[in-house]
Amino acid sequence: MIIDTHCHLDDERYASDLDDVISAATKENVKKLIIPGADINDLPKACKIAQTYENVFFAAGVHPYEVGGYDRAKLLEYAIHPKCVAIGECGLDYFRLPDSGVDEYKARQKEVFIDQIKLACELKKPLIVHIRDANEDSLNILKEYQDSLVGGDLHCFNASPILLELKEKFYYGIGGVLTFKNAKKLVEILPQIPLNRLIIETDGPYLTPEPHRGSRNEPKFTNLVAKKMADILNLTKEEIEEITTKNAHTLFKI
């Protein structure tokens, strides 16, 4: 059994065949799925999907690119829902910066990130973290609050060695990038992550693993990630499934 800990099933690219996508995942032994929150305006849809399908859960959060629409009161409304298993995805992303007002933009991302961390601490729910080109700032913030967190997921782990400092409290989300030909850093660092800290994700519809790269990603493709992880770690695919599923259950309580 595999749990896809991060799949944007509320994305429009699943709108026409969501039933088929979830059914295909189930047939391929992907039995539980988590929709991360990204945009405050998408939370009603994510919540509705989770209510419709017994094996689908969601998280309530605001992606760093969407901080302009951050609304704590609205976020809290969905964060306390019974099928909401985490806060996020939230974090820092400095990959696309504005032409002016960069310092203010980064400061706003940090402010919204920290507020979501505090919400996770208050509700005793794990945190789903997005980090891109912002490793040091993210690490410093997470280290400050990690003792108050029940746990967290470094979604789409970017292979930064400094983020291994968080391994006592955080899990490392591994997805299709692991299968890419240019994923040398991730392949090298994977064995340094404790087995009890590994979880599997798609980040669908993005980051589709080989040999399907270029097409829409789906939860069923987590099987390809599990196989690649097994090859790198000299384990069987069944062992990887057992390990990562146990870890996901422990973190998200599903």
Side-chain angles (χ1 to χ4, degrees):
M1 172 180 165
I2 297 175
I3 296 177
D4 185 351
T5 60
H6 198 106
C7 186
H8 298 273
L9 294 175
D10 54 345
D11 189 279
E12 283 301 315
R13 277 164 279 191
Y14 298 116
S16 64
D17 64 344
L18 184 59
D19 281 343
D20 293 338
V21 168
I22 294 175
S23 177
T26 301
K27 289 177 182 177
E28 293 294 331
N29 207 34
V30 185
K31 298 296 179 69
K32 295 179 183 178
L33 309 98
I34 299 173
I35 306 171
D39 187 325
I40 200 84
N41 296 312
D42 292 337
L43 286 175
K45 186 175 181 180
C47 181
K48 184 178 180 180
I49 293 171
Q51 288 178 297
T52 302
Y53 299 93
E54 184 180 359
N55 64 330
V56 177
F57 304 84
F58 78 102
V62 176
H63 188 284
Y65 284 166
E66 305 296 338
V67 295
Y70 184 68
D71 183 333
R72 193 183 213 267
K74 189 172 183 180
L75 189 65
L76 179 60
E77 178 185 340
Y78 289 93
I80 61 176
H81 190 281
K83 293 209 77 175
C84 177
V85 297
I87 302 300
E89 63 182 288
C90 56
L92 303 178
D93 192 321
Y94 299 162
F95 180 68
R96 296 188 185 96
L97 296 173
D99 294 331
S100 60
V102 171
D103 289 343
E104 292 82 358
Y105 179 73
K106 288 184 177 181
R108 179 56 178 163
Q109 281 200 11
K110 291 176 183 177
E111 179 184 2
V112 172
F113 183 27
I114 290 170
D115 197 51
Q116 290 179 88
I117 294 173
K118 290 179 177 178
L119 182 60
C121 294
E122 291 168 15
L123 297 179
K124 294 182 170 29
K125 292 193 175 186
L127 191 72
I128 299 176
V129 183
H130 171 107
I131 302 172
R132 190 175 188 187
D133 291 357
N135 291 324
E136 290 190 11
D137 282 355
S138 299
L139 177 64
N140 290 335
I141 290 172
L142 291 171
K143 284 173 69 175
E144 181 178 352
Y145 291 96
Q146 67 175 342
D147 289 345
S148 300
L149 284 164
V150 298
D153 162 22
L154 298 181
H155 146 64
C156 196
F157 177 51
N158 61 21
S160 169
I162 68 171
L163 296 179
L164 293 180
E165 292 183 36
L166 299 169
K167 63 186 178 184
E168 295 302 317
K169 210 62 175 276
F170 283 80
Y171 293 73
Y172 296 78
I174 309 296
V177 172
L178 187 66
T179 71
F180 294 178
K181 293 176 182 177
N182 62 350
K184 184 178 179 181
K185 284 176 59 181
L186 185 56
V187 169
E188 289 178 349
I189 204 169
L190 185 68
Q192 299 178 45
I193 303 172
L195 290 176
N196 66 352
R197 292 290 155 182
L198 289 172
I199 54 178
I200 291 178
E201 63 172 60
T202 53
D203 199 20
Y206 315 103
L207 301 176
T208 311
E210 298 288 358
H212 303 285
R213 196 173 179 184
S215 62
R216 181 188 68 177
N217 203 357
E218 295 185 27
K220 66 181 181 181
F221 292 147
T222 49
N223 280 281
L224 298 170
V225 178
K227 178 64 169 64
K228 185 67 174 181
M229 289 175 68
D231 291 344
I232 294 169
L233 298 174
N234 294 314
L235 296 169
T236 66
K237 179 172 175 287
E238 290 72 24
E239 286 173 322
I240 289 294
E241 289 184 21
E242 182 179 354
I243 290 165
T244 58
T245 295
K246 180 181 179 181
N247 293 342
H249 278 147
T250 300
L251 177 61
F252 296 111
K253 305 294 188 291
I254 56 175

